[in-house]
Each structure stands twice: as structure tokens, then as C-alpha cells.
Amino acid sequence: MQITASAVSLTVDDVAASSAFFTAHLGYEERMAADGFASLGRPDAAADVVLLRRGTEVLPADQRDRHAGGLILAFTLEGGIAEEEARLRAEGVEITMPLREEPWGERLFQITDPNGVVVQFVEWAAATEEGGV
């Protein structure tokens, strides 16, 4: 098996709101879109994001009414996590978990999109120290 790309598919109530949030604040671009659907991508190693409107018939019946709740979409950064938090805050994005460092060396913060999708940014403190940041 050779995997050539990865994506996470999120079922949300308002596809346009999540798409606008990801494109405005997280550097994604809309690659394909239709009623109740958007496929977002970035030029780097981040997973693509597919947004599907909850209740859409393209999903199997037992998945149609599920919501993306309980999921954390995490992105690992190399340096600059404090600057990313400051940038997002300056853009008016609510920081739902401020930047903190865990005892095991993980630095992280979270934001939440208009549909309740939690996005977490992670940086390993040891990697930051080695990189001189």
C-alpha cells in the first residue's frame, strides 16, 4: 500500500462557515465545492479537510446525523507557536485554550471553528530549544 495523501472528513451543520474559517485563518484553500460539500487543501504536509453538511445523503444512513464533536484536529508546528496564537488572536479568532506547556514538553493551544470543530496547534518544547527559538 502506498498512501499519497491524507484527509479528515468532518460532518458539520454549516459547511460555508467552516470553509470560510479554515481559508481565512488557517491557510487552506477551497479546491472543490458544491452544495453541502467543500474540499480544502494546503500546499504543505497538513491533512486535507473535507467538509460535509450533516444529513447529506452521500453519507451512509447511520452516519448522516453525526457531528464532528469530540474530535480534535491537531497540527504540529516547528517553532513559532506563540506567534501563531498571537496572529490568530489579532485576527479575532477566539483562543479556546490559551498556550500552555505540559510537563512532558508539549506546547499547545486550541481554537474552535464556527461549527465547534476544535483545532489544536502543538509544538514540542525540546524541538524548539534545539532549533534555538
Side-chain angles (χ1 to χ4, degrees), residues 94-116:
E94 180 184 0
I95 307 299
T96 50
M97 185 179 76
L99 182 62
R100 67 184 196 202
E101 186 168 330
E102 301 294 353
W104 53 87
E106 178 184 37
R107 299 178 73 208
L108 66 148
F109 74 93
Q110 292 179 347
I111 60 176
T112 304
D113 95 332
N115 282 291

Side-chain angles (χ1 to χ4, degrees), residues 9 11 35-37 50-61 63-64:
S9 182
T11 306
D35 183 40
F37 164 82
V50 175
L51 302 165
L52 295 170
R53 184 176 51 232
R54 192 162 60 142
T56 187
E57 292 188 12
V58 299
L59 292 169
Q63 296 177 19
R64 289 181 191 155

Side-chain angles (χ1 to χ4, degrees), residues 14-31:
D14 186 343
V15 169
S18 284
S19 181
F21 183 87
F22 276 76
T23 57
H25 303 296
L26 302 180
Y28 276 84
E29 59 186 38
E30 203 170 75
R31 294 189 174 158

Side-chain angles (χ1 to χ4, degrees), residues 41-128:
R42 289 178 46 105
D44 59 13
D48 290 348
V49 175
V50 175
L51 302 165
L52 295 170
R53 184 176 51 232
R54 192 162 60 142
T56 187
E57 292 188 12
V58 299
L59 292 169
D62 65 335
Q63 296 177 19
R64 289 181 191 155
D65 290 319
R66 292 185 186 170
H67 187 270
L71 173 123
I72 296 175
L73 181 57
F75 297 114
T76 302
L77 307 177
E78 285 189 27
I81 196 166
E83 293 80 5
E84 281 301 312
E85 182 194 36
R87 177 188 66 81
L88 289 164
R89 190 180 304 275
E91 291 177 2
V93 175
E94 180 184 0
I95 307 299
T96 50
M97 185 179 76
L99 182 62
R100 67 184 196 202
E101 186 168 330
E102 301 294 353
W104 53 87
E106 178 184 37
R107 299 178 73 208
L108 66 148
F109 74 93
Q110 292 179 347
I111 60 176
T112 304
D113 95 332
N115 282 291
V117 176
V118 177
V119 180
Q120 179 171 291
F121 297 90
V122 177
E123 174 183 79
W124 295 100
T128 301

